Amino acid sequence: MARPCSDYSRTDLLRRGLAEAGRGLPAIEPGMPLPAGTGLSRRSFLARGAGLGLAVYGGHALLPRLLEDGIAAAAADPSERVLVSVFLDGGADSLSMLFPGDDPLYRSLRPKLALPASVGTAFAEDPRLRWHPSLTPLATLHGEGKVTVLPGVGYTGPDQSHFTSRHFWEVGATNEALRTGWLGRYLDRVGTPDNPLQGLSLESRLQPALATARVPVASIDSPDRYDFWTRGVWGDVEQRLMEAIGSLGGLPTDGDAALLQASAASRQAARLRQQLLPFTPKDGQPGFTSPVTYPTGEDDFPRRLAGLAAMLGSGLPVRAVALTAPGMYDTHDSQPDALAEGLTITAESLLAFQRDLESRGLADRVLIHVWSEFGRRAEENGSAGTDHGAAGIGFLIGTRVSGTAIGEYPGLAQLDADGNLRATSDFRGLYAALLEDWLGTDAEGIIPSAASFARPRILK
Amino acid sequence: MGAAVYRGPFRREQAERLLWRAGFGPRRGEATALARKGLEAAVFSLTRPGAARMVGPKPHDSKGRGLAPEDAWGHDHLWWLDRMVRTSRPLVERMTLVWHDWFATSLQGVGSQSLMLRQNRLLRRHALGSFGTLLREITRDPAMLLWLSGTDNTKWSPNENYARELMELFTLGAGRGYTEGDVREQARSLTGWTSDWRSGVGQHNFRYARDRHDGGNKRIFGQRGPHDWEDAVRLCLEHSRHPVFFVEKLWSYFVPTAPDARTRDSLVTLYRKEHDVRPLVEAILRHPALYTGPRMVKPPVVYTAGLLRAIGRGVDTDSWSWLSGMTGQRLFVPPSVAGWDDSRWLDTATFRGRWWIANYATQPLSLTDKQAGSLPSQPDELVEGAVRFWGSPTLRPATRRALLEFARRSMADADASWKRRSYPVLITNALRQLVATSPDFQTC
């Protein structure tokens, strides 16, 4: 499988074919606002394949193999910056994640759910607030100046539908008709037609924020699990078979959207398979190893981040990554346990990922953005849960982030008409800053009306 | 004025599309037989089928044991997949799948396969019946009451979860004809449901408890009164925006482009009378847009059932449960209450999932060296054989040419006599895989 592939010589054909690959997001049909996969259904499957041992990884050990496979030509510029978008699905409760422990208003709005001021770590920037005990790993990184908090991020005219609000965040505008993701439009500007890895969904479905109009993007679960084994086929014929996946995907589609989608998937799969050949486990050796220990357990999230660090470490040309955090954040009931469970594995995995990047010398190239479609209602609902709110919480993580909060904590004294937190920063301004200050491209043309949003300071 | 009716030729190709859109693809020879009936009779054979029969080998797990869908992990998926493969009423199963997507409820939130199957029986019972009845019944269905916090919704502490989705996803559409105030008032109307919990039994004894219901006045869509859960459902059904939402959403499961205004209006007229689903589906299945319009990507579970139907194989392995996750459609575990995103089934990850599905489907029939020598060595004959293996699905000429090119080049690689003898076996296995994963076969 790992020998140089005759497919590679067909780069020109692929180049031509992939130029038409992007197809953008579907329109929001009446009443069918954009949902999107959360990858939950993958858990059951991957639970079976988990438990891969993680040993010490030797720097750029994979690079010679990449060169052998002729892929180094497409390898990343070593200074290329990467943005990793992590989505807390369901509307995470900011008033638990960074909570006003001593505020009597908090206790009266949240008689059952208020966290006691005795738990968690104090938030160094604002004496009123404390970190949720499960977010201690983020508190640690914050102490090192590697976390910027957005304590009240949102937008004016907040929509309380999961699907609509999530769509707004994904497309980077409060526009239901927009069909490409904000990161997708960034990739359309800077990406190339033969590199699906430039936009990477680390789960079984495309993350809508990465939906492009022009260039290809990829979804994979893990770089070492992208094989196309076929029973009763081997040798020369297997090589031809792999080539044929790309050929069938390169046939004309006469503008038929479904055929176009199926063809693009086929073509991009063939290309991606080649890009990931170095990660194929061989002779009982795992496809990659990590220099740090990630949380273990049933969830795929830590392993996905470990795989991502290995891919970046090997020089693969990844630019924008999106994935869903573990946990269920739509906590209409039984909130305390559900929230703690999801936040624990999420925060521990992010800390391990950050340490992994630091250990590989990649930390200055990678910035993580953690977001949710909205926060939750200030007042609890009586089912030991909370209903949909407006402004919520977000984080930027990395060695280069400012480490200083963007927008103040909105407080409980002045809620909006629906009893929700008011936004003190706008996600579109944040996106514009990420594009301009981190990714080095003008936000104009990617974020609609970019000029109208103030850019927060995101870097040191 | 009724909706337009397709008047073009109704041949094998059209029958094939109808069987994929309204079911799970043809069994061997089924498309030809259906084409002989003509459009009208073909549609009625789907919308008004006889008594339910299961045709073909009974399902079992990898160890030959019968399925335990209420208890064993993954057997719920196998149980329903088997129905899709063997049913004599494919449209009833397909509509059950539509409602599973429409009222998307997940085992991840319900925690009981038994309650999920109970909901599944409800969806099947009303598959082609009255949407009003279905909506009423789903509102008090135990799995739904757990999934969208219905039993947590009390007069002392209303929970908006079901109220919001009832309007946003089930009857009106996001932001169409209701306000945040309506969400809150609907939540109050829907109070009153409860259940008991016992260790070893779980949630049971689902019931309406009047003392938990908020009997006060509510104002919903401008109508004031002491509304209860039945009023909540009725007000949504009677809402002027509901019929258009309903027919457009139902249409979208069968045709990928929105209906034109005339079609939409005639479907709305048809629907308004009794909220009946069957006549609407009949109108959609006879509509020219279904036969002359663009293709649709087959949903993963439809694709999987169709592969098994095409080769006459039953459910005889557990693997379909975990493989389904790779394709992005594990039954009973939709990604969210909005269901699956039908407009974006295929990407690099789910393409690989389908590759594995096709590989698993053909495995028991894949050829080995024992068959070497009994196969033709002419590339075109090898292609023909592989297409026939899947019941001769319609392929684009360009696809056939690409398959032929693959076979020709592979045979040309055979530079030793043992290769010339063995390669037709390998090529046949590969061609079957390529046909099943071709863009042509992924779509219909």
Side-chain angles (χ1 to χ4, degrees):
Chain A
M1 282 266 284
R3 71 178 148 122
C5 200
S6 49
D7 238 16
Y8 194 72
S9 61
R10 298 187 310 104
T11 303
D12 278 349
L13 176 68
L14 285 162
R15 232 181 261 283
R16 266 180 279 129
L18 289 172
E20 57 173 278
R23 49 193 178 77
L25 292 173
I28 293 194
E29 299 294 333
M32 295 276 291
L34 261 191
T38 62
L40 275 179
S41 54
R42 299 277 299 140
R43 187 178 295 167
S44 46
F45 161 57
L46 285 159
R48 305 191 153 205
L52 217 154
L54 301 173
V56 173
Y57 174 84
H60 287 255
L62 279 170
L63 205 53
R65 282 168 64 191
L66 283 169
L67 287 164
E68 266 173 35
D69 285 278
I71 289 166
D77 173 344
S79 63
E80 194 90 76
R81 284 172 169 182
V82 181
L83 182 65
V84 180
S85 165
V86 176
F87 173 48
L88 304 175
D89 188 0
D93 183 34
S94 56
L95 285 171
S96 295
M97 292 166 71
L98 207 58
F99 64 96
D102 290 320
D103 185 349
L105 207 45
Y106 177 56
R107 316 238 141 245
S108 67
L109 288 165
R110 299 272 180 104
K112 285 192 206 151
L113 296 182
L115 290 154
S118 55
V119 303
T121 316
F123 179 58
E125 293 181 59
D126 186 336
R128 293 173 295 174
L129 301 173
R130 303 183 70 79
W131 292 93
H132 188 285
S134 300
L135 291 180
T136 303
L138 290 194
T140 302
L141 286 172
H142 183 254
E144 298 171 14
K146 295 172 188 163
V147 175
T148 291
V149 179
L150 296 105
V153 62
Y155 51 96
T156 44
D159 196 299
Q160 289 174 56
S161 153
H162 289 294
F163 312 103
T164 305
S165 194
R166 176 178 174 176
H167 175 81
F168 290 167
W169 278 80
E170 286 167 342
V171 302
T174 54
N175 175 350
E176 299 195 11
L178 209 53
R179 295 164 65 103
T180 50
W182 76 281
L183 290 170
R185 290 193 298 280
Y186 160 68
L187 293 168
D188 276 335
R189 181 183 288 169
V190 303
T192 58
D194 60 350
N195 175 26
L197 274 176
Q198 57 207 344
L200 181 60
S201 287
L202 275 175
E203 53 197 50
S204 65
R205 303 294 303 276
L206 174 71
Q207 279 280 341
L210 291 169
T212 54
R214 196 176 64 80
V215 300
V217 291
S219 320
I220 57 166
D221 192 67
S222 179
D224 58 346
R225 292 181 186 157
Y226 205 69
D227 62 309
F228 285 80
W229 180 73
T230 312
R231 190 186 177 97
V233 184
W234 38 265
D236 299 332
V237 181
E238 188 182 17
Q239 285 303 321
R240 295 281 181 203
L241 173 59
M242 295 300 118
E243 281 174 41
I245 299 175
S247 318
L248 282 171
L251 302 175
T253 55
D254 299 329
D256 184 286
L259 269 181
L260 192 67
Q261 181 181 146
S263 302
S266 186
R267 217 163 45 224
Q268 290 165 16
R271 175 76 183 119
L272 184 62
R273 181 190 148 275
Q274 277 186 278
Q275 288 184 303
L276 295 175
L277 274 179
F279 288 88
T280 311
K282 263 198 302 229
D283 311 323
Q285 296 298 309
F288 68 86
T289 52
S290 304
V292 302
T293 306
Y294 279 83
T296 51
E298 194 180 305
D299 207 279
D300 304 325
F301 185 68
R303 201 176 182 288
R304 287 173 176 159
L305 291 177
L308 174 60
M311 279 190 272
L312 295 172
S314 74
L316 284 175
V318 175
R319 286 170 175 271
V321 183
L323 71 166
T324 305
M328 205 293 285
Y329 297 94
D330 189 21
T331 46
H332 287 279
D333 53 58
S334 316
Q335 173 167 307
D337 290 350
L339 189 62
E341 192 186 336
L343 291 179
T344 300
I345 180 88
T346 300
E348 287 177 358
S349 303
L350 288 171
L351 177 61
F353 180 61
Q354 180 62 29
R355 295 295 185 237
D356 192 349
L357 296 173
E358 289 168 10
S359 163
R360 292 176 193 267
L362 298 168
D364 285 348
R365 280 183 54 207
V366 182
L367 192 151
I368 305 160
H369 173 217
V370 182
W371 63 281
S372 193
E373 70 267 39
F374 43 60
R376 303 195 77 78
R377 187 82 38 86
E379 186 176 12
E380 68 185 34
N381 67 9
S383 324
T386 47
D387 291 324
H388 301 179
I393 195 166
F395 306 103
L396 299 176
I397 305 170
T399 52
R400 304 289 303 281
V401 304
S402 70
T404 309
I406 294 171
E408 75 267 29
Y409 163 63
L412 296 168
Q414 282 181 300
L415 300 171
D416 73 11
D418 292 325
N420 295 322
L421 292 174
R422 290 167 302 105
T424 56
S425 62
D426 191 294
F427 73 103
R428 293 158 294 188
L430 172 68
Y431 286 175
L434 285 168
L435 287 163
E436 291 171 353
D437 298 342
W438 179 247
L439 298 171
T441 190
D442 195 348
E444 206 59 55
I446 294 179
I447 303 300
S449 314
S452 63
F453 302 107
R455 273 59 157 173
R457 191 170 78 89
I458 58 168
L459 302 182
K460 285 193 172 76
Chain B
M1 188 167 60
V5 174
Y6 176 66
R7 302 286 180 207
F10 188 73
R11 303 204 179 101
R12 189 173 182 288
E13 192 179 336
Q14 287 76 28
E16 215 175 273
R17 177 174 277 197
L18 177 60
L19 284 167
W20 279 111
R21 298 264 178 105
F24 304 89
R27 291 201 182 92
R28 198 161 290 269
E30 203 173 11
T32 311
L34 194 71
R36 273 194 220 108
K37 292 180 197 260
L39 173 68
E40 189 87 354
V43 167
F44 285 166
S45 75
L46 291 163
T47 59
R48 305 171 193 195
R53 281 181 304 118
M54 292 293 141
V55 184
K58 280 211 168 66
H60 57 78
D61 71 3
S62 304
K63 292 183 176 151
R65 297 172 300 202
L67 302 184
E70 302 206 341
D71 303 304
W73 182 91
H75 282 210
D76 47 351
H77 182 92
L78 299 179
W79 174 84
W80 195 0
L81 179 65
D82 169 65
R83 296 190 67 98
M84 294 171 177
V85 173
R86 291 200 299 142
T87 183
S88 63
R89 309 199 296 173
L91 179 61
V92 172
E93 289 306 320
R94 189 65 189 263
M95 281 306 300
T96 308
L97 182 61
V98 165
W99 299 129
H100 180 40
D101 183 72
W102 193 301
F103 297 110
T105 304
S106 173
L107 180 61
Q108 300 261 6
V110 175
S112 158
Q113 291 179 201
S114 166
L115 291 181
M116 292 300 296
L117 291 183
R118 178 170 162 181
Q119 185 190 76
N120 186 258
R121 288 192 293 272
L122 169 69
L123 301 177
R124 185 172 294 101
R125 192 155 59 241
H126 300 287
L128 286 160
S130 153
F131 182 74
T133 309
L134 176 57
L135 186 67
R136 216 183 108 94
E137 294 305 314
I138 202 77
T139 301
R140 58 174 175 174
D141 169 68
M144 183 61 88
L145 286 172
L146 292 176
W147 172 236
L148 293 184
S149 317
T151 49
D152 286 330
N153 183 20
T154 66
K155 67 178 174 190
W156 306 286
S157 55
N159 184 309
E160 298 168 6
N161 209 0
Y162 188 79
R164 182 181 302 280
E165 308 308 3
L166 169 65
M167 294 183 283
E168 177 178 330
L169 296 173
F170 303 162
T171 60
L172 299 177
R176 289 172 173 246
Y178 65 94
T179 63
E180 284 297 320
D182 290 324
V183 173
R184 292 174 190 220
E185 295 288 84
Q186 283 284 34
R188 292 177 60 214
S189 308
L190 288 158
T191 51
W193 296 101
T194 189
S195 65
D196 297 331
W197 189 86
R198 198 164 69 243
S199 174
V201 179
Q203 298 288 350
H204 66 287
N205 193 22
F206 289 82
R207 63 195 185 279
Y208 189 72
R210 193 149 290 285
D211 62 319
R212 295 166 71 90
H213 175 67
D214 179 344
N217 275 328
K218 300 106 189 166
R219 192 176 180 83
I220 298 170
F221 312 141
Q223 298 184 46
R224 201 173 136 81
H227 304 307
D228 64 8
W229 73 276
E230 291 181 280
D231 298 314
V233 167
R234 179 180 51 78
L235 288 166
C236 288
L237 285 170
E238 290 173 356
H239 195 294
S240 62
R241 308 281 287 268
H242 168 62
V244 169
F245 167 83
F246 183 86
V247 302
E248 287 187 342
K249 180 159 172 160
L250 183 66
W251 171 275
S252 75
Y253 286 99
F254 298 98
V255 181
T257 46
D260 58 46
R262 178 195 144 186
T263 301
R264 188 194 61 219
D265 292 348
S266 63
L267 292 177
V268 163
T269 306
L270 203 53
Y271 176 67
R272 258 190 222 285
K273 286 183 208 156
E274 309 277 349
H275 295 130
D276 262 352
V277 175
R278 190 188 319 268
L280 277 184
V281 173
E282 287 178 344
I284 296 169
L285 296 183
R286 284 181 298 185
H287 198 276
L290 193 138
Y291 301 95
T292 59
R295 302 172 72 86
M296 294 178 90
V297 175
K298 296 170 186 171
V301 72
V302 172
Y303 173 77
T304 306
L307 291 177
L308 296 177
R309 287 169 68 90
I311 58 177
R313 183 179 169 192
V315 169
D316 53 11
T317 164
D318 304 349
S319 301
W320 305 118
S321 297
W322 61 267
L323 285 166
S324 68
M326 294 178 68
T327 63
Q329 194 177 32
R330 166 71 155 80
L331 294 170
F332 302 106
V333 191
S336 76
V337 63
W340 287 278
D341 183 355
D342 266 309
S343 64
R344 223 172 38 215
W345 282 122
L346 281 166
D347 55 45
T348 56
T350 53
F351 176 81
R352 174 168 172 269
R354 293 194 189 213
W355 182 276
W356 278 47
I357 291 268
N359 190 31
Y360 267 72
T362 54
Q363 266 188 32
L365 301 167
S366 70
L367 303 182
T368 67
D369 224 35
K370 287 190 197 113
Q371 279 100 344
S374 66
L375 290 173
S377 57
Q378 289 305 315
D380 56 339
E381 291 178 59
L382 291 174
V383 170
E384 209 39 57
V387 176
R388 220 166 33 238
F389 176 83
W390 293 113
S392 305
T394 306
L395 299 177
R396 288 172 294 168
T399 301
R400 278 185 177 269
R401 282 196 298 276
L403 295 172
L404 187 61
E405 184 65 10
F406 159 76
R408 207 180 50 69
R409 285 192 187 186
S410 297
M411 278 313 289
D413 288 338
D415 51 9
S417 66
W418 69 268
K419 288 186 181 174
R420 282 188 286 278
R421 193 180 139 78
S422 285
Y423 274 20
V425 169
L426 276 59
I427 293 168
T428 297
N429 289 332
L431 281 168
R432 289 173 178 178
Q433 183 71 22
L434 284 173
V435 171
T437 55
S438 65
D440 310 58
F441 199 81
Q442 306 269 16
T443 55
C444 62

